[in-house]
Amino acid sequence: MKNIKLTYVLCALLLGFGMAYGQRVLTIAVPGDVETLDPDFSHFQMSNEVNYNIHDQWFQYGLKLTPEGYRAYDVNTILPSAIESWEISPDGLSITLKIREGMKFNHTGNPVTVDDFLYYFERGVHTKSGYYWNITMAGITGWEKLSDTTFKLTFAQPSPFFFYLFRDQSQAPVDSKEMQKHATPDDPWATKWKARNDAGSGEFYVESWTPGVEMVLAANKNYWAGPAYFDKVILKVVPASATRMLLLMQGAVDIAYNLSPTELDAIRNLPGIKVVSLPSRNQYYLGLNNQMPPFNNKLVRQALAYAVPYDAIINDVFKGRALPPRSPIPQRGQYFDGSMWPYEYNLDKAKELLRLAGYPNGFDCTLSIPAGDPVIEELAILLQASFKKIGVNMSINVQPAAMFAEGLDKKSHQMWLRDILWYIDDPAYVAKGFYYTGVVLNWMAYSNPELDKIADEMMKLWRPEDKAQKAMLAKEMQRILIDDVPCLWLAEPYYELAMRDNIEGFVYLPDHLLWYYPLYRKE
Amino acid sequence: MTPSRFFKIDGLNMKKPVLYLAQRIGFLCLLLWGIITIAFILTRALGTPVYLLVGQQADKEIIESLIKSMGLDRPLYEQYFRYFWSVLHGNLGISRYTFRPVTQELSQRLPATLELVLAAMILITIIGILLGISAAVYNNTLFDRCVQAFCQFGASVPLFWLGLILIYIFFYLFKLAPAPLGRIRPGLSLPKTITGFLLVDAVLLGDRECFLAALKQIMLPAVTLALGSLPATIRIVYLTILDILNTPYINTARAYSIPRWRILFVYALRNALVPISTVLAMTFGYLLSNTVFVEAVFAWPGIGNYAITAMYTMDYDPIIAVTIVATLGYGLAYLLNDIFALIVDPRVRR
């Protein structure tokens, strides 16, 4: 009996405290668990988002307003965050960085030092993780401690997108003293420990984590820019999207992730709810393997580009919430030029091109898609029906996600369908990372020496005054790709996020991660 | 009926029942072995988790080193024996995503699922037997028709949809049920875990608030889960009782003007016990593997949601482990049913 009374008293006390201090809590219904707290090994949306919020990245983008009136990242302004100031050498081959002083890691209280920044370079190189990708993409060849607050990076050649890469969720100081404590002989970089533990100095820290149930983040009261409005952010795992929608409608959660286009349309105009909706740099592709017949024939690829029902895709699959493709560079990307785009839904032209290519009666082919994605399935079925009209019999091979990913990596799919979000807004990055001969993401096995040359040229342009020349090269790149059609560009869907209408302060980030720091509740 | 009494009845002949049980347990082991083997082959056939684990940007070197560290470069039979050997030692492997032992993760999630399944089982047993008997007694009346219609509905409606509709009605429209956010409402938790069953732990700790909160949370998912399996139970009870009510021995009892309730609940029900317990055992196994849908809709942190996540990420060890647990659930329920039949039905003993 005593126990019961004590519990009641405790409950009452806790309730009282909660009310007195009026804890500000943001609750988000998320589809699945956070996979890992190791930003180096994270390539999942939920993990990236949490890692973005619990780590203090080197830099941030400045903000500007989109035509729709949302605050969004501005690639032309880079602001300091964990790095307070920097100086690029005149030849662009090195950069000296000064860290922000007085910062502490959230869980241990250890001060953030230059060693913590450099530890991650070593870790990245040895574990060949995401950090390693950024090091190689930025062409960094050396890192060196200069003083207790400064260090220097050297580049093989000046990097046009060093800053874009180093505002990534993984580019943040991590408590190296604590990490080393958890290193073991067969796990010298503490990857197992880091996957479950937060060692960041960001705006929030992980207060508790119940796998499959929820993750509770608490605000860092000592954050250098001041604490966030919300004291706590609770990520509630709710696997069914319809349940997430009902929870949002009822006000039991503030934000609901990953609602389907139909669900978003159902709640868009309800009182108490708003849906953030703006064009993004996400693109859907139908990849064609440029080494496999018949797609090694450019005319065949062009023919298919005329058989894509562009309007039906926008209206039926995306309910009007997508932009049509006008170039390999998304419409909201830097150096986008829509003036060269010839493709439209024209079956006669498609048939004519097939005839010229030597396939007057069409051909059979196989499209691989990952299972469990309704949008991709709808797109595949729509395209299948359309291609059939020009004699192209495309069978759809639905594969488990793991198998599909393996096929992409091995470039063994004849055709594939998926989306890619270009979070680095730079044509050089896309050219070098996706269309360049032999790179890992070139799942089309596409190769054009002319394009490779342009990509290499663009990689050399890093000064602000190089913009005019870059624009010229970017135009040439778009011209070549539009003519070559290594893949079919299908649509550029909007970024959409459903929330209660009293949540304000939303900032649109290029990687579609939600930044909790600027959010607040309108009283 | 205690075992000692039952053995006495049989005239000290323990050999047959023991042999029978040994046979059953042996069969269960064989079944487990078969399931593990099939699950092992199927998961391997559906692609390696490596490419999902390393992401799109990884280079060849990291892929190869991961394949090696996961032992996937070895021949399939060697991987199989290694895995089987570790399972025999109670080690179900580790999750490649969370880096935690699967046994540890299962021990956190299994009680949630079992609690839900048992709550549904209680509903199914009580409602199923009552409705089944009543429908048989009032055969061919309006009541009987209603029960049959209810069975048709329950058997044909998908659980996923049913759960959503119940949430829509009870949570969204009438605000009678709490938010479908798992086992207990946000902000409330028990000071410690004893059995892992929230309701039981709340009683043991004397925490009324937690008990009521947990009870409210489990209500809708348990009803959803029960509705899906009720029709089978009702129909079996209904048909069995209907059969029995037409047998000569019941007619004889009627002729002796034994009270109706006594005929029904003592003479008729006793003979229906074995078929009923069989259908309940089947239902238990069925529920254990079908909570997936209900858990997804009600954000219930059980093995169903665990399995879905593992399947999407091709996390080998958790997938096989969940399969093993579901098989064990089925197997143990059947075994209990066999023992039960052994006790109540003398025919089985001979």
Side-chain angles (χ1 to χ4, degrees):
Chain A
M1 275 322 270
K2 249 186 196 164
N3 259 342
I4 299 182
K5 270 184 194 155
L6 196 68
T7 319
Y8 276 77
V9 170
L10 273 176
C11 283
L13 271 176
L14 279 176
L15 206 71
F17 278 138
M19 280 175 177
Y21 286 99
Q23 281 241 332
R24 293 154 168 173
V25 179
L26 179 75
T27 312
I28 306 177
V30 301
D33 215 351
V34 175
E35 290 87 356
T36 173
L37 288 177
D38 195 338
D40 248 11
F41 289 91
S42 162
H43 26 258
F44 316 97
Q45 197 67 4
M46 249 352 275
S47 290
N48 288 348
E49 178 167 310
V50 167
N51 282 314
Y52 185 77
N53 283 286
I54 63 175
H55 293 101
D56 191 17
Q57 284 70 30
W58 290 31
F59 313 107
Q60 295 172 2
Y61 281 124
L63 300 181
K64 64 172 185 193
L65 280 185
T66 70
E68 295 78 21
Y70 294 107
R71 285 200 295 167
Y73 67 98
D74 174 15
V75 285
N76 293 313
T77 351
I78 301 294
L79 300 178
S81 193
I83 296 291
E84 198 174 33
S85 59
W86 57 88
E87 206 186 313
I88 307 172
S89 67
D91 59 2
L93 288 174
S94 74
I95 183 169
T96 307
L97 303 130
K98 182 181 174 300
I99 68 167
R100 190 180 292 279
E101 286 177 68
M103 296 189 301
K104 286 193 164 66
F105 287 109
N106 283 322
H107 280 277
T108 56
N110 291 337
V112 178
T113 66
V114 166
D115 297 327
D116 297 316
F117 284 83
L118 296 185
Y119 170 80
Y120 242 51
F121 278 89
E122 298 296 333
R123 188 178 193 257
V125 168
H126 283 96
T127 55
K128 292 258 157 52
S129 54
Y131 214 86
Y132 180 66
W133 167 268
N134 281 358
I135 293 172
T136 41
M137 277 313 271
I140 297 171
T141 49
W143 41 92
E144 176 193 354
K145 182 176 176 176
L146 297 180
S147 73
D148 282 347
T149 55
T150 53
F151 63 104
K152 190 171 120 178
L153 301 180
T154 42
F155 300 93
Q157 67 171 55
S159 169
F161 35 72
F162 164 72
F163 290 100
Y164 298 168
L165 287 167
F166 278 66
R167 48 78 46 201
D168 225 27
Q169 73 278 343
S170 59
Q171 305 307 138
V174 169
D175 198 340
S176 61
K177 277 201 198 80
E178 187 64 19
M179 297 271 286
Q180 276 151 1
K181 271 190 207 162
H182 299 280
T184 59
D186 56 321
D187 184 18
W189 300 97
T191 51
K192 283 177 188 157
W193 181 82
K194 190 67 193 73
R196 314 305 302 160
N197 293 279
D198 164 18
S201 60
E203 307 91 300
F204 288 87
Y205 62 91
V206 176
E207 189 184 71
S208 71
W209 184 7
T210 319
V213 181
E214 64 179 14
M215 179 180 268
V216 181
L217 305 178
N220 171 7
K221 295 293 173 200
N222 303 314
Y223 189 61
W224 60 266
Y229 169 89
F230 283 110
D231 302 300
K232 278 190 184 158
V233 175
I234 301 177
L235 306 172
K236 272 269 169 203
V237 179
V238 182
S241 69
T243 312
R244 292 197 293 278
M245 179 183 79
L246 285 172
L247 286 166
L248 181 74
M249 285 160 72
Q250 187 60 276
V253 299
D254 297 305
I255 299 174
Y257 280 178
N258 294 44
L259 300 186
S260 71
T262 324
E263 284 161 345
L264 285 167
D265 270 357
I267 61 170
R268 208 177 288 281
N269 299 316
L270 291 184
I273 288 178
K274 66 178 170 193
V275 178
V276 167
S277 179
L278 73 165
S280 79
R281 296 173 22 79
N282 192 21
Q283 286 179 308
Y284 272 90
Y285 301 92
L286 184 107
L288 307 168
N289 193 314
N290 285 237
Q291 307 287 335
M292 284 186 196
F295 302 121
N296 51 0
N297 186 336
K298 185 160 93 179
L299 292 172
V300 172
R301 303 197 298 265
Q302 287 177 342
L304 288 191
Y306 280 106
V308 174
Y310 296 102
D311 291 343
I313 288 177
I314 305 284
N315 295 325
D316 300 349
V317 180
F318 296 105
K319 317 276 176 218
R321 307 255 158 202
L323 293 179
R326 285 292 172 262
S327 156
I329 297 180
Q331 299 206 26
R332 284 296 162 93
Q334 287 197 86
Y335 305 105
F336 160 77
D337 187 339
S339 63
M340 295 170 284
W341 183 260
Y343 304 111
E344 55 181 350
Y345 188 50
N346 185 342
L347 294 181
D348 293 333
K349 188 130 194 196
K351 274 185 205 151
E352 174 62 18
L353 281 164
L354 274 189
R355 197 182 56 76
L356 286 176
Y359 293 95
N361 302 318
F363 52 84
D364 293 345
C365 52
T366 307
L367 168 71
S368 305
I369 59 169
D373 188 325
V375 169
I376 287 182
E377 275 166 29
E378 273 182 65
L379 282 172
I381 292 167
L382 206 61
L383 289 166
Q384 185 183 42
S386 179
F387 290 168
K388 202 168 175 68
K389 291 178 190 159
I390 56 166
V392 173
N393 292 313
M394 181 176 78
S395 51
I396 300 172
N397 178 16
V398 185
Q399 298 184 327
M403 215 182 219
F404 179 75
E406 183 177 354
L408 282 182
D409 192 86
K410 294 190 166 161
K411 301 179 179 29
S412 60
H413 296 312
Q414 189 187 18
M415 304 164 96
W416 49 264
L417 208 170
R418 61 162 289 171
D419 63 325
I420 299 179
L421 172 62
W422 292 105
Y423 63 95
I424 304 276
D425 187 2
D426 193 315
Y429 185 82
V430 180
K432 192 82 183 171
F434 193 55
Y435 298 109
Y436 200 83
T437 304
V439 293
V440 281
L441 295 193
N442 186 344
W443 302 315
M444 295 84 65
Y446 167 68
S447 174
N448 183 340
E450 217 185 325
L451 183 102
D452 293 351
K453 214 177 119 212
I454 287 173
D456 289 333
E457 284 296 313
M458 278 198 286
M459 289 292 281
K460 289 180 193 149
L461 305 175
W462 61 281
R463 289 186 177 86
E465 53 269 30
D466 294 336
K467 285 215 158 166
Q469 204 195 339
K470 195 160 179 178
M472 230 173 62
L473 289 171
K475 184 164 180 158
E476 189 56 15
M477 161 194 162
Q478 292 172 77
R479 190 192 60 74
I480 294 173
L481 287 172
I482 287 173
D483 186 50
D484 274 350
V485 208
C487 55
L488 306 178
W489 299 276
L490 303 177
E492 298 164 13
Y494 286 17
Y495 168 79
E496 301 211 272
L497 182 65
M499 55 174 87
R500 299 297 301 177
D501 66 353
N502 59 359
I503 301 297
E504 298 284 342
F506 168 77
V507 167
Y508 174 64
L509 292 181
D511 31 25
H512 291 187
L513 309 179
L514 184 62
W515 190 18
Y516 310 142
Y517 183 72
L519 296 178
Y520 62 94
R521 195 188 301 279
K522 196 170 62 190
E523 303 296 344
Chain B
M1 208 179 279
T2 60
S4 62
R5 193 178 151 208
F6 130 63
F7 288 131
K8 253 181 226 158
I9 289 174
D10 228 23
L12 284 174
N13 185 6
M14 279 172 64
K15 252 188 196 163
K16 269 185 185 164
V18 169
L19 206 70
Y20 175 75
L21 279 182
Q23 197 188 352
R24 290 275 135 184
I25 292 171
F27 179 70
L28 178 59
C29 292
L30 206 67
L31 185 72
L32 270 176
W33 170 74
I35 286 290
I36 291 174
T37 310
I38 292 172
F40 183 89
I41 293 170
L42 275 184
T43 48
R44 262 59 178 183
L46 289 178
T48 89
V50 173
Y51 296 91
L52 282 185
L53 268 171
V54 295
Q56 303 147 2
Q57 300 163 343
D59 62 1
K60 291 272 169 292
E61 215 175 314
I62 178 109
I63 290 174
E64 273 157 27
S65 84
L66 190 66
I67 287 178
K68 205 166 177 187
S69 80
M70 289 174 74
L72 297 177
D73 55 335
R74 303 185 179 270
L76 203 60
Y77 69 87
E78 191 185 327
Q79 292 178 41
Y80 174 72
F81 284 117
R82 272 167 190 267
Y83 181 76
F84 202 74
W85 188 246
S86 74
V87 170
L88 282 182
H89 290 77
N91 174 9
L92 293 173
I94 65 161
S95 159
R96 292 303 309 183
Y97 280 81
T98 62
F99 290 111
R100 286 198 304 195
V102 174
T103 33
Q104 186 191 337
E105 294 195 322
L106 275 183
S107 68
Q108 282 167 358
R109 287 164 185 263
L110 194 56
T113 296
L114 281 181
E115 190 167 35
L116 181 60
V117 167
L118 289 177
M121 280 301 290
I122 293 171
L123 289 177
I124 290 172
T125 313
I126 296 173
I127 300 174
I129 291 180
L130 282 183
L131 280 187
I133 292 181
S134 326
V137 171
Y138 301 106
N139 190 16
N140 278 332
T141 62
L142 183 65
F143 175 77
D144 177 29
R145 297 270 154 74
C146 288
V147 173
Q148 301 305 337
F150 168 76
C151 286
Q152 290 289 339
F153 172 77
S156 53
V157 80
L159 282 189
F160 188 84
W161 180 84
L162 185 66
L164 281 176
I165 290 298
L166 290 181
I167 292 174
Y168 183 73
I169 295 172
F170 291 99
F171 163 67
Y172 182 70
L173 282 185
F174 298 112
K175 302 181 177 62
L176 290 171
L181 282 173
R183 304 175 75 187
I184 198 154
R185 71 163 185 265
L188 207 62
S189 64
L190 278 175
K192 62 176 177 176
T193 309
I194 303 169
T195 60
F197 291 78
L198 265 187
L199 289 168
V200 178
D201 286 359
V203 170
L204 291 177
L205 293 166
D207 191 330
R208 234 185 94 179
E209 198 191 355
C210 273
F211 180 81
L212 288 178
L215 192 64
K216 278 184 189 162
Q217 288 301 130
I218 205 171
M219 216 92 96
L220 270 196
V223 167
T224 310
L225 197 55
L227 280 179
S229 296
L230 256 179
T233 315
I234 294 177
R235 285 199 68 81
I236 295 285
V237 174
Y238 168 82
L239 290 175
T240 319
I241 296 283
L242 209 58
D243 252 12
I244 292 170
L245 289 183
N246 290 328
T247 50
Y249 85 93
I250 294 289
N251 283 333
T252 316
R254 283 210 187 103
Y256 277 102
S257 68
I258 292 172
R260 208 169 155 191
W261 65 267
R262 210 179 147 80
I263 295 177
L264 211 53
F265 287 98
V266 178
Y267 297 103
L269 191 58
R270 194 182 207 172
N271 268 324
L273 276 181
V274 173
I276 291 176
S277 84
T278 307
V279 74
L280 287 180
M282 260 166 64
T283 306
F284 179 80
Y286 179 78
L287 292 185
L288 205 55
S289 43
N290 266 270
T291 51
V292 176
F293 307 105
V294 179
E295 286 183 12
V297 177
F298 289 91
W300 200 262
I303 55 168
N305 276 333
Y306 184 62
I308 291 180
T309 314
M311 234 102 86
Y312 269 121
T313 52
M314 214 61 228
D315 208 353
Y316 286 162
D317 291 349
I319 297 177
I320 305 181
V322 171
T323 318
I324 293 176
V325 168
T327 314
L328 258 182
Y330 253 112
L332 289 180
Y334 276 121
L335 194 66
L336 277 178
N337 177 51
D338 287 339
I339 295 174
F340 181 74
L342 210 54
I343 295 170
V344 294
D345 191 348
R347 283 167 300 185
V348 181
R349 271 175 259 155
R350 296 205 186 97

